[in-house]
Amino acid sequence: MSHAAYPWERPLGATPVDDGRVEFRVWAARGRERGVAVRVRGEDHPLEPEGYDIYAARLPALHGDDYEFVLDLHAQEGGRALPDPCSRWQPDGLRGPSRVLDTRRFEWTARRAGINPPGLVLYELHVGTFTPQGTFDAAIEHLPGLRELGVTAIEVMPIAEFPGRRGWGYDGVYLSAAQSSYGGPDGFQRLVDAAHAAGLAVVLDVVYNHLGASGVQAMEAYGPYFTSKHETFWGKSINYDDADCDPVRSWVLQSAEGWIRDFRVDGLRLDAIHAIHDESAHPILQVLCERVHALDHRALVIAESGQNDPRVIRPAREGGLGHDAVWADDFHHALRVLVTGEREGYYEEFGAVADLGKAFKRPFVHDGQYSSFRRRRFGAPARDRRPEQFVVFDQNHDQVGNRAFGDRLPAPARRLAAFCTLLSPFVPMLFMGEEYGEDAPFLFFSDHIDEEIAVATREGRRREFAAFTAFAAQEIPDPQDEETFRRSQLTRLPDPGVEALYRRLLEIRRALPAGGADEVRYGDDPDGRWLRVGRGAFALACNFGGAAIEVPVEASELVLATHDAVRLDDGGVLLPGLAGALVR
């Protein structure tokens, strides 16, 4: 049988066709013995086998009709009705029926903004806490302001249908359905269209490394979506390379294609790809990139990888996965330790100014040498990769939200951290609110609908921080408490100085030369902790100490300073503590 003829390669789920009918297609591995049907418009319709455990029928139905697949049709109890694994609309949440979505009815008013990687400035936002309403539509009014600030793309945290009405989104179940409490597929389409009208591209955060625990049982009723061949932090791995994996791979690939093709998103950010296990000759992560680029050659695939492995962003012809860019945590860690002094956990092996100096060249600080935290060599050199293939940040949802109290960077550290991040040679990403000095925390919150999972989440969060003496006398916020979510909503109370600095930094960034950093020099001794980074005719000068020092630099113009007290002298620039200056 040819590749094109495999039935799982054709659209799975519910696909409207032109004659007032919908083509329903599902993978049900036990269907041969037990029967499979679709329940739509109050009737059960048996599905016909197409081979390889794929079952299908073309039936009278329209956009907006609810449906479920009925498994074990021939069982005495009359079968089990479940949502469609490939559902694109779950109006009543995880346990409600699926609904037919005809994306051809979307009304588009704007062309895609497109992405220019060298000029890319990302802005990570969580829909539920970005506005008081917590919806796609409510976010729209803030888009023009982001573009005017200098942001070129929003990166939307996961929206695949997850349990309850509030959560980070990383426990989504229906990979192709936009979260109902945010406004569902119609709301997301309006957000994307409004972003494009404002001149912003849209990158969608997707989670293909695990499934939310609330959906595992329903998926397993259909077939082996998971395998014990590999384990992840969240349990059994998604089945990408074991028996019967092909329909599972297609489930994910069709999801990725749908966001690009039907919702016109401009790129995907893939969560924690180091937790995707696939020993196939043609791994799913490579195939996904090929499919996305085939649909839109300008679309970006951005990976979050915890391996410091440049193969992720090397072309397939060079033995890589072909991703366009990768998150670079080491830049954040090196910077955060310098501006805060924190040294617990994985921060323990950072703290030298040389670490950030190295990160300005290529942001993998660990590129093959020994890691004391991991107790092994870690990473590989990435000097052959372009600067715009690395995404850097001084805050993001993980680095803020995975702290016990969701606290953002302390106020004294914010200006210098932003200076280093936004004037780096790499793609900068802002975390919502940092551009004006937001003080509201971003806590870990959830709304699990299964009590056992809710209890495990609450207790797991407390155990995670039990060993930290700093939290011994303080109660860790309960993720399930709605107040934890409410506290995480943006206040939009600005710090005018920070707001003005971000605007100026993003304006000046556009004037800096393309390409990597030039000469990097630093001092790291009792007389001063400073860093100087050349970028063409410009130089970044940073003081990471608490006392004022003069950083040696030859310059005739002070282009930008993080603080009013910065002064340019002969042979150097005088910087107060935790301050930076751009000179030329």
Side-chain angles (χ1 to χ4, degrees):
M1 179 175 263
S2 70
H3 174 76
Y6 288 128
W8 63 75
E9 292 288 335
R10 297 194 285 277
L12 298 170
T15 305
V17 289
D18 290 330
D19 57 358
R21 294 172 175 259
V22 170
E23 192 165 68
F24 297 95
R25 180 175 285 109
V26 65
W27 174 55
R30 292 189 295 271
R32 279 170 288 180
E33 299 84 15
R34 305 187 182 184
V36 187
V38 62
R39 181 171 296 165
V40 61
R41 295 186 173 183
E43 294 185 26
D44 289 358
H45 301 269
L47 301 180
E48 296 300 319
E50 292 189 331
Y52 298 93
D53 299 323
I54 303 293
Y55 295 83
R58 184 173 289 197
L59 301 166
L62 295 170
H63 168 86
D65 283 346
D66 289 345
Y67 71 98
E68 295 171 289
F69 288 118
V70 182
L71 307 182
D72 299 336
L73 188 62
H74 305 318
Q76 278 189 332
E77 56 271 23
R80 180 183 180 189
L82 291 170
D84 177 4
C86 299
S87 172
R88 308 192 81 181
W89 194 357
Q90 288 296 124
D92 299 317
L94 298 188
R95 303 285 159 77
S98 301
R99 183 168 290 175
V100 175
L101 176 70
D102 189 347
T103 59
R104 298 172 301 179
R105 56 180 282 281
F106 285 158
E107 295 182 6
W108 298 99
T109 65
R111 297 178 62 184
R112 288 183 172 179
I115 293 180
N116 173 33
L120 181 59
V121 176
L122 291 164
Y123 184 93
E124 185 183 33
L125 68 86
H126 175 267
V127 174
T129 54
F130 189 59
T131 65
Q133 300 90 336
T135 63
F136 297 125
D137 285 318
I140 289 174
E141 69 172 288
H142 299 285
L143 299 179
L146 292 177
R147 186 66 186 93
E148 194 269 335
L149 174 69
V151 170
T152 64
I154 57 172
E155 181 171 305
V156 182
M157 286 175 62
I159 63 168
E161 191 73 35
F162 56 78
R165 298 185 59 80
R166 58 187 183 273
W168 279 19
Y170 293 95
D171 52 358
V173 173
Y174 295 103
L175 305 183
S176 302
Q179 175 69 11
S180 53
S181 63
Y182 290 169
D186 285 340
F188 184 57
Q189 182 269 334
R190 289 191 294 269
L191 175 65
V192 174
D193 194 39
H196 290 164
L200 292 167
V202 179
V203 175
L204 180 62
D205 196 343
V206 291
V207 183
Y208 297 147
N209 53 53
H210 76 288
L211 208 68
S214 294
V216 169
Q217 188 176 7
M219 290 294 178
E220 288 186 320
Y222 284 93
Y225 274 88
F226 310 96
T227 174
S228 297
K229 180 179 178 181
H230 311 288
E231 290 290 328
T232 73
F233 176 79
W234 306 280
K236 288 193 295 186
S237 175
I238 291 178
N239 180 16
Y240 288 122
D241 63 356
D242 207 350
D244 295 312
C245 67
D246 290 298
V248 180
R249 291 164 69 97
S250 199
W251 166 63
V252 167
L253 294 170
Q254 290 187 27
S255 169
E257 290 175 311
W259 293 121
I260 299 291
R261 180 189 61 242
D262 300 324
F263 287 85
R264 299 191 180 184
V265 304
D266 304 279
L268 300 176
R269 181 265 187 188
L270 307 186
D271 180 63
I273 66 165
H274 50 271
I276 292 177
H277 301 286
D278 182 4
E279 297 173 359
S280 305
H282 198 186
I284 186 75
L285 289 169
Q286 188 180 95
V287 179
L288 187 149
C289 288
E290 293 166 356
R291 297 283 187 91
V292 167
H293 292 149
L295 285 169
D296 182 356
H297 69 277
R298 300 182 305 167
L300 290 190
V301 177
I302 303 173
E304 181 199 19
S305 169
Q307 300 298 317
N308 282 15
D309 186 351
R311 289 178 297 184
V312 171
I313 50 175
R314 286 197 182 115
R317 65 180 178 274
E318 298 177 21
L321 293 176
H323 293 212
D324 300 290
V326 65
W327 275 27
D329 283 347
D330 279 7
F331 186 95
H332 167 273
H333 301 345
L335 178 58
R336 183 171 188 117
V337 173
L338 287 177
V339 298
T340 67
E342 295 179 31
R343 297 298 296 275
E344 288 192 286
Y346 47 71
Y347 294 150
E348 70 178 28
E349 54 190 354
F350 295 89
V353 179
D355 294 335
L356 187 59
K358 182 178 182 179
F360 263 100
K361 286 289 191 178
R362 287 296 183 273
F364 290 171
V365 175
H366 291 96
D367 59 0
Q369 76 273 40
Y370 186 80
S371 164
S372 60
F373 177 71
R374 299 172 182 85
R375 298 176 62 186
R376 63 181 177 88
R377 288 183 180 271
F378 183 71
R383 290 183 290 271
D384 61 319
R385 298 293 91 209
R386 302 183 308 278
E388 62 265 26
Q389 290 191 275
F390 301 92
V391 177
V392 299
F393 34 80
D394 57 59
Q395 301 181 67
N396 66 27
H397 76 273
D398 273 331
Q399 304 303 336
V400 175
N402 283 331
R403 299 172 67 83
F405 300 103
D407 47 307
R408 295 168 179 262
L409 272 176
R414 292 174 183 173
R415 295 187 182 210
L416 182 55
F419 175 84
C420 292
T421 303
L422 297 185
L423 299 186
S424 77
F426 314 113
V427 172
M429 186 180 75
L430 286 64
F431 181 55
M432 61 175 191
E434 73 165 274
E435 74 278 11
Y436 59 80
E438 178 65 62
D439 283 325
F442 186 71
L443 295 155
F444 180 72
F445 50 84
S446 58
D447 186 25
H448 288 293
I449 57 178
D450 298 292
E451 183 60 23
E452 182 179 352
I453 298 172
V455 170
T457 301
R458 183 184 296 118
E459 294 305 316
R461 188 70 174 172
R462 289 170 179 165
R463 284 195 304 272
E464 182 179 355
F465 295 101
F468 290 80
T469 56
F471 311 133
Q474 301 182 65
E475 183 71 16
I476 303 300
D478 179 358
Q480 285 287 112
D481 187 344
E482 187 173 351
E483 180 60 23
T484 303
F485 164 73
R486 295 294 175 197
R487 288 173 56 199
S488 301
Q489 292 181 313
L490 298 183
T491 66
R492 299 195 178 273
L493 299 174
D495 177 328
V498 169
E499 193 171 39
L501 176 64
Y502 270 80
R503 190 171 301 277
R504 183 74 175 123
L505 285 168
L506 288 170
E507 177 186 357
I508 288 176
R509 177 180 174 82
R510 296 191 289 271
L512 294 178
D518 301 324
E519 182 189 33
V520 174
R521 288 187 59 193
Y522 57 89
D524 197 354
D525 54 51
D527 294 328
R529 311 191 76 201
W530 58 271
L531 175 69
R532 191 183 77 203
V533 178
R535 294 206 59 193
F538 299 85
L540 285 68
C542 308
N543 176 14
F544 294 104
I549 60 170
E550 185 171 87
V551 175
V553 62
E554 294 182 7
S556 59
E557 180 185 357
L558 179 60
V559 180
L560 175 146
T562 60
H563 296 73
D564 292 338
V566 173
R567 295 289 181 269
L568 186 61
D569 294 328
D570 290 339
V573 58
L574 183 64
L575 296 172
L578 293 180
L582 182 70
V583 299
R584 65 178 171 185

